[in-house]
């Protein structure tokens, strides 16, 4: 067997995949995510010293993909992923049960940008869904800190 053959290289994870996660102090600032997706923003915030509390994310147009992404997110970040649309969470009053973060992060839907998505094209209905989600998230999260 040749050392560093392509098959060996596939078994060695890249350095970023094995980097230790930061240990954050109990008084670190906190963030909650509306449509946190796979967690790229979460990873950046945690590297910057901001503790993540929760993520609300669910795409009714592709529930199978949505569930897979949520599972990966929860495995990587070990905090709750609420697998409902922002509209459902806002209508249920569940925002009141979540810890209040110092920072509220709303990310844009990005599955239409992925080269791995054969349907990679934003539709008008997805754009309208983003606008409704923003409104539901902000209305549901109104409180002393927002």
């Amino acid at each position: 067997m040749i050392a560093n053959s392509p098959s060996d290289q596939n078994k060695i994870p890249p350095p970023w995949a094995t980097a230790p996660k930061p240990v954050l102090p109990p008084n670190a600032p906190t963030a909650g995510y509306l449509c946190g997706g796979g967690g790229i923003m979460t990873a950046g915030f945690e590297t910057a010293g901001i503790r993540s509390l929760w993520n609300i994310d669910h795409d009714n147009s592709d529930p199978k993909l949505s569930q897979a992404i949520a599972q990966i997110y929860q495995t990587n970040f070990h905090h709750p992923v609420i697998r409902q649309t922002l509209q459902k969470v806002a209508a249920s009053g569940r925002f009141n049960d979540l810890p209040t973060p110092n920072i509220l992060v709303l990310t844009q839907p990005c599955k239409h940008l992925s080269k791995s998505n054969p349907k990679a094209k934003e539709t008008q209905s997805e754009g309208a869904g983003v606008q409704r989600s923003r409104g539901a998230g902000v209305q549901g999260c109104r409180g002393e800190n927002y």
Side-chain angles (χ1 to χ4, degrees):
M1 178 185 232
I2 300 171
N4 297 328
S5 70
S7 62
D8 287 343
Q9 291 174 353
N10 290 337
K11 295 178 185 174
I12 300 170
W16 58 263
T18 58
K21 291 186 179 184
V23 177
L24 302 176
N27 64 343
T30 59
Y33 301 88
L34 306 177
C35 306
I40 191 71
M41 294 289 289
T42 304
F45 272 67
E46 289 191 355
T47 299
I50 299 167
R51 180 184 317 285
S52 300
L53 298 176
W54 43 260
N55 175 21
I56 299 170
D57 201 331
H58 183 73
D59 180 358
N60 281 336
S61 71
D62 198 343
K64 187 175 178 182
L65 176 63
S66 190
Q67 290 297 320
I69 291 171
Q71 184 59 49
I72 291 167
Y73 185 99
Q74 197 158 2
T75 299
N76 287 334
F77 298 105
H78 309 291
H79 61 265
V81 178
I82 299 158
R83 300 172 189 199
Q84 295 180 329
T85 63
L86 294 176
Q87 294 89 340
K88 284 187 180 179
V89 174
S92 72
R94 187 162 181 198
F95 277 114
N96 298 328
D97 300 332
L98 297 172
T100 303
N102 300 111
I103 302 166
L104 182 62
V105 181
L106 172 62
T107 60
Q108 293 290 326
C110 58
K111 76 176 187 176
H112 65 280
L113 300 174
S114 173
K115 290 181 181 181
S116 66
N117 181 1
K119 302 175 197 172
K121 181 179 169 185
E122 183 175 13
T123 65
Q124 287 183 339
S125 64
E126 285 176 325
V130 170
Q131 296 300 325
R132 288 191 306 275
S133 295
R134 282 188 193 140
V138 172
Q139 287 175 356
C141 292
R142 292 193 193 265
E144 297 172 9
N145 297 324
Y146 300 106

